[in-house]
Structure formats: structure tokens, C-alpha cells
Amino acid sequence: KAVLLSPGIDYRGIVTDGAAGKLNDSQKVLVVAAKGDTYSAESSQKLFEIIGSLKSEFVLYGENDHGTNIWNTHPELIEKIVCFMT
């Protein structure tokens, strides 16, 4: 399992969409972003579509937060991540 927190399709030369398409059925991914972080929100939607809803879950919050700053606005995300990983 993996958690993608405010991911990008291409972050400083690390391209993620190719790897996302190679996951097998036993590999699950939680994708989390905020709408106001437009690059991450758009990248997250694309990654979710590539991975597929049977292997992933997508959470999109309405604020402008990025990365761990999402926890400041949505502390329940920490519990969601823990539950997802167990």
C-alpha cells in the first residue's frame, strides 16, 4: 500500500504516471490532494484514473493546503491514512 499526499505527475524530473500504470491488483493506493493546490489536484485525478478505482481511493479536499498542511485543516486524515495502511 502507498499514500500519495499532494502528488505531481512530474515532480522535479520524477515522473509518476508510468509507474502508476504498472501496479498490480494487490497494490492499493490512497491519493490525497486539495483543490486549491491545482497542479497536485489535477495530477491526483490523473493518477487515480490511471491506477483505477478498484486499486485506489481518491480524497480531494476543498482548501488550498499542500502536503502535510492538509492535516491542519483535516486532522481526521491522519486516522484515515492509518486505517488505510492497516
Side-chain angles (χ1 to χ4, degrees):
K1 293 182 179 180
V3 176
L4 307 181
L5 187 57
S6 299
I9 293 290
D10 184 343
Y11 180 74
R12 297 184 182 188
I14 299 171
V15 182
T16 57
D17 54 348
K22 295 178 183 176
L23 296 173
N24 66 48
D25 290 342
S26 67
Q27 295 173 300
K28 308 295 182 195
V29 180
L30 174 62
V31 184
V32 181
K35 286 182 183 178
D37 183 359
T38 54
Y39 176 69
S40 180
E42 291 169 3
S43 294
S44 295
Q45 180 65 44
K46 288 177 187 173
L47 290 168
F48 175 70
E49 291 170 4
I50 291 167
I51 297 167
S53 62
L54 295 178
K55 294 186 284 186
S56 64
E57 182 179 345
F58 180 40
V59 178
L60 183 64
Y61 292 108
E63 290 77 25
N64 296 324
D65 299 323
H66 177 80
T68 57
N69 288 331
I70 295 173
W71 296 335
N72 296 332
T73 310
H74 296 279
E76 72 278 4
L77 177 59
I78 296 170
E79 183 176 347
K80 182 171 192 61
I81 290 170
V82 169
C83 290
F84 177 81
M85 296 300 289
T86 57

